[in-house]
Amino acid sequence: LWTRGKDMVGACNKLGVDIMTGHWEFTYRDEEVLDNIKDFDGEFVAQNVRVDEMAMFDYRFEDFPGYSEDSGHAFKPYTIRNVGGAKVAVIGQAFPYTPIANPSRFMPDWTFGIRDDAMQSLVDNIRANEKPDLVVVLSHNGMDVDLKMASVVSGIDAILGGHTHDGMPAPSIVKNSGGKTLVTNAGSNGKFLGVLDLDVRGGKVRDFRYRLLPVFSNMLEADPEMETYINEVRAPYMDTLSEELAVAEDLLFRRGNFNGTFDQIICDAQRAVGDAQIALSPGFRWGTTVLPGQAITMEHIMDQTGTTYPETYVREMSGADIKLILEDVLDNL
């Protein structure tokens, strides 16, 4: 929030991220998104982000390298890499519900969506013209949408997904009209590393091995260069972040689709401050767990609640309004 995403661009560059697609990047302003991508050393791919037809008449970012006036893509849809002697096509699938789940005013010229048909056309085109040994999708659809996409789109060997933060110990093998697609998801917050090894011969996947490796961060020595970078980025804000507010009596977490103990604290606080009978908070499933007896710091609070458009408000609602909101949330899940 304080660096408008620049701190994470620097961290990704030091980590050596090769390719990524987008989600919360789009909750910054569009010019900030493009500026951050320019500073990213890897490649940003997203086949399902298009420039609105009306916006194309006077598009503000027509000089951006990933933009294609012919296809309408706002970003490069895919890239080709040689990995272990195999030619690999990597397609990006950004979070499809971005303008619904987040304020569309931040990216007025871009449209999103799942775009199954566009994905099928792109895969067919890549297979025909690039002749890859392997087609992989980097997806932020969420696990359920990835499973559905794998069933209706053929020609994808593997979908490596995110968004729903599912730590999948084994990939789902989904059958479709063209064969099979592996679908997996490696949790969130660096808790796991998903490792997919593929035996590729003659342009086809012959076998695979998948491991979900837990990252025991307190048992691994920190990388000195990365640790120095993190400390430097955090230094101007440490007085605020380190302020101790309370001591946790119970385990505080926020990782369930339904609720968690930190969700309950947030809702209790909203009711107390807003003098409300009911409080609703989206089950984001993120943030750091706080152990019993551990100090709750301002960083923990911001870790759980800090988004690019925070707003808490009180309003009168009917039972019908509440029912509609809950059904909307269920639909999104």
Side-chain angles (χ1 to χ4, degrees), residues 216-291:
F216 298 110
S217 57
N218 57 352
M219 298 174 71
L220 297 169
E221 201 169 316
D223 177 80
E225 186 181 348
M226 183 67 89
E227 188 173 39
T228 299
Y229 171 76
I230 291 171
N231 290 338
E232 287 174 353
V233 167
R234 288 166 56 84
Y237 315 108
M238 282 309 296
D239 286 348
T240 300
L241 294 173
S242 60
E243 181 187 358
E244 294 187 5
L245 307 175
V247 175
E249 293 180 357
D250 298 305
L251 184 70
L252 300 182
F253 63 90
R254 198 178 189 197
R255 62 172 174 265
N257 275 359
F258 182 60
N259 67 355
T261 50
F262 225 126
D263 285 297
Q264 192 62 55
I265 284 182
I266 292 166
C267 288
D268 287 348
Q270 287 178 323
R271 287 172 58 232
V273 171
D275 190 26
Q277 293 170 292
I278 294 174
L280 300 172
S281 173
F284 278 133
R285 305 174 307 284
W286 65 20
T288 307
T289 298
V290 182
L291 301 177

Side-chain angles (χ1 to χ4, degrees), residues 72-144:
H73 285 108
F75 304 94
K76 194 174 181 180
Y78 74 96
T79 186
I80 300 289
R81 294 293 177 95
N82 188 296
V83 183
K87 187 177 183 181
V88 182
V90 181
I91 302 171
Q93 176 79 0
F95 179 51
Y97 303 123
T98 292
I100 300 169
N102 311 107
S104 57
R105 65 181 182 274
F106 295 136
M107 55 251 141
D109 296 340
W110 299 334
T111 65
F112 293 75
I114 299 172
R115 303 189 191 274
D116 283 334
D117 291 343
M119 178 66 83
Q120 185 66 73
S121 297
L122 182 61
V123 171
D124 292 344
N125 180 57
I126 291 170
R127 288 280 185 192
N129 298 313
E130 301 280 7
K131 300 290 192 296
D133 297 300
L134 196 65
V135 175
V136 174
V137 172
L138 280 185
S139 168
H140 213 93
N141 279 335
M143 189 71 184
D144 288 329

